[in-house]
Amino acid sequence: MAVPSALLDEISSMLIDCDLFNHLPPAELRAAAHYFSITKVARGEVIFNEGDIGTFMCIVHEGSVEVIKANQNEELIEMVTLGHGRAFGEMAVLDGERRSATCKAAEDSVLLTLSKDALDKMLEEHGRMAARIIRAIAVSLSRRLRMAVGQLVDYID
């Protein structure tokens, strides 16, 4: 099924506006737009729960998303609120493991979504472009891991 040109333009603009992919050329983002979709979520709506099987990742375009994790006492702790341009859910898309946290819309939000199936299809059809997308995701995860380790060390001291 062909994606309407106006929707592709909208998704392309959203991708261009995302820091995660700002190093990719606009023509490549236009091609990548075929694999993304737009999802609107209402304030308070759970996007996915900790422990769910991960089948998609998201990028916040408008609004914000709370990341919530259960501690050892099963108390829910808000870890962070993600705003414009921030990706989440990408670990599960890359490794196929269950969700490590719950994500819930902190306000009415517009998200770009990329399913694991769409990412796999992109790898088959446009391997080089998919590799750049995956690398951008991996770099983002690496930065967040470095920050978390730094915070953990500061906490232990």
Side-chain angles (χ1 to χ4, degrees):
M1 186 167 97
V3 178
S5 182
L7 181 58
L8 282 177
D9 290 344
E10 184 178 0
I11 294 172
S12 294
S13 294
M14 294 167 101
L15 288 171
I16 289 168
D17 193 35
C18 177
D19 288 344
L20 187 63
F21 304 125
N22 64 4
H23 66 287
L24 298 176
E28 201 160 271
L29 292 176
R30 170 84 178 173
H34 289 271
Y35 300 94
F36 285 81
S37 60
I38 298 172
T39 304
K40 295 181 180 185
V41 291
R43 181 177 191 241
E45 186 177 339
V46 173
I47 301 159
F48 53 75
N49 286 297
E50 184 172 351
D52 287 353
I53 294 172
T55 58
F56 63 93
M57 64 168 281
C58 301
I59 302 166
V60 179
H61 182 68
E62 293 176 10
S64 59
V65 172
E66 296 174 333
V67 179
I68 302 160
K69 183 119 177 90
N71 66 14
Q72 67 243 12
N73 300 323
E74 298 301 315
E75 299 167 324
L76 298 179
I77 309 295
E78 183 182 330
M79 304 299 292
V80 67
T81 299
L82 306 174
H84 175 77
R86 292 291 305 272
F88 62 96
E90 64 272 46
M91 289 190 318
V93 168
L94 294 177
D95 67 15
E97 296 293 323
R98 294 190 176 272
R99 300 291 189 183
S100 62
T102 295
C103 288
K104 178 172 82 170
E107 57 187 309
D108 290 349
S109 300
V110 176
L111 310 173
L112 273 173
T113 58
L114 177 64
S115 72
K116 184 171 183 357
D117 289 343
L119 182 59
D120 290 345
K121 187 175 180 187
M122 188 191 313
L123 274 165
E124 289 175 18
E125 296 175 351
H126 299 283
R128 182 171 285 165
M129 178 178 66
R132 288 190 189 112
I133 298 282
I134 292 169
R135 183 162 196 257
I137 293 167
V139 167
S140 173
L141 287 171
S142 176
R143 286 184 184 136
R144 291 202 325 245
L145 179 59
R146 289 176 194 275
M147 283 178 27
V149 167
Q151 290 170 346
L152 183 60
V153 168
D154 289 346
Y155 178 77
I156 293 172
D157 283 347

